[in-house]
Amino acid sequence: DIQMTQSPSSLSASVGDRVTITCRASQGISNFLAWYQQKPGKVPNLLISAASTLQSGVPSRFSGSGSGTDFTLTISSLQPEDVATYYCQKYNSAPHAFGGGTKVEIK
Amino acid sequence: QVQLVESGGGVVQPGRSLRLSCAASGFTFSRYGMHWVRQAPGKGLEWVAFMSYDGSDQYYEASVRGRFTISRDNSKNTLHLQINSLRTEDTAVYYCAKGHSYGYQDYFDYWGQGTLVTVSS
């Protein structure tokens, strides 16, 4: 099975900072990659599909890129409401594995 | 609007069985693939199972294959997860999630609030 590895597992940044989260697949998955945001105590929320397609209503400071095995989620200017854990997920085939998550905090 | 409401969780002894349900509304249930995802306390998300729009295809995460059975009743807009031979490591919040389309090459555009399963003697 294809494994999804996220890095870092946690980060602390200041408001306004540019934040980058990396997700690596153990084999190529084309662009079948989604990103979810899970705020503390809440249900996961879809941010990005097809590696780079921003979902309706998601702030434009979020962006995704990559294809094949290497992907990134970027927050261009970190805001207090972005405190959350972010997960990547492959969906080219079963199992639809998630990465281990990246916890983002404000410094 | 889309609503997914899980039920059936609770405290159960190891080795026993449980059946989770997910009641769907606000969309044409029979046209979309559906998934179960779980999250152990303080841990990350783990995909568990998928069923295609018409029930013809099912996939499972390796650790639950043979113990978990996903099913759906399109006439009642309901998704189920039968969990047998429960283990302590099955303790988690179980979410049902709606696929964006009918097949398995799909991401999840809506999630339920989850139902907590606690396996303990």
Side-chain angles (χ1 to χ4, degrees):
Chain A
D1 292 343
I2 297 174
Q3 309 300 317
M4 305 300 293
T5 304
Q6 277 183 245
S7 61
S9 56
S10 66
L11 66 89
S12 181
S14 299
V15 172
D17 281 355
R18 183 181 184 88
V19 168
T20 298
I21 298 168
T22 297
C23 178
R24 175 164 290 176
S26 59
Q27 297 176 39
I29 58 170
S30 184
N31 69 336
F32 291 96
L33 193 283
W35 289 97
Y36 300 88
Q37 175 193 62
Q38 187 177 31
K39 295 184 178 181
K42 300 296 186 182
V43 174
N45 180 54
L46 175 67
L47 295 177
I48 287 170
S49 62
S52 61
T53 301
L54 200 67
Q55 298 304 295
S56 176
V58 175
S60 59
R61 63 180 178 274
F62 290 92
S63 65
S65 64
S67 183
T69 60
D70 294 313
F71 303 87
T72 58
L73 172 70
T74 300
I75 308 173
S76 61
S77 177
L78 186 67
Q79 299 301 303
E81 60 265 33
D82 300 335
V83 168
T85 300
Y86 294 83
Y87 296 93
C88 62
Q89 183 204 25
K90 63 171 278 291
Y91 57 94
N92 62 312
S93 63
H96 292 51
F98 289 90
T102 297
K103 187 174 183 179
V104 174
E105 299 176 321
I106 300 291
K107 191 181 296 183
Chain B
Q1 72 279 22
V2 172
Q3 278 200 310
L4 300 169
V5 180
E6 301 93 338
S7 60
V11 180
V12 62
Q13 292 179 327
R16 303 295 288 263
S17 298
L18 206 59
R19 190 192 198 204
L20 307 182
S21 298
C22 171
S25 60
F27 65 103
T28 306
F29 182 72
S30 61
R31 293 184 181 176
Y32 294 92
M34 295 293 296
H35 301 255
W36 287 98
V37 177
R38 68 182 178 181
Q39 187 168 34
K43 302 297 185 181
L45 301 172
E46 180 183 31
W47 174 82
V48 172
F50 159 81
M51 176 160 272
S52 60
Y53 71 105
D54 61 354
S56 61
D57 282 335
Q58 305 157 41
Y59 297 101
Y60 297 93
E61 199 275 329
S63 69
V64 308
R65 198 173 297 134
R67 294 193 301 123
F68 288 24
T69 303
I70 189 172
S71 62
R72 64 191 296 162
D73 184 340
N74 285 346
S75 68
K76 295 182 179 179
N77 293 344
T78 305
L79 181 73
H80 300 288
L81 185 68
Q82 177 71 36
I83 308 175
N84 297 330
S85 303
L86 275 154
R87 305 169 180 170
T88 54
E89 56 264 35
D90 296 322
T91 294
V93 174
Y94 285 74
Y95 298 101
C96 74
K98 172 185 169 293
H100 183 65
S101 70
Y102 61 89
Y104 66 90
Q105 282 186 324
D106 214 1
Y107 50 90
F108 310 158
D109 54 6
Y110 291 93
W111 298 62
Q113 290 299 309
T115 187
L116 176 62
V117 173
T118 302
V119 184
S120 173
S121 54

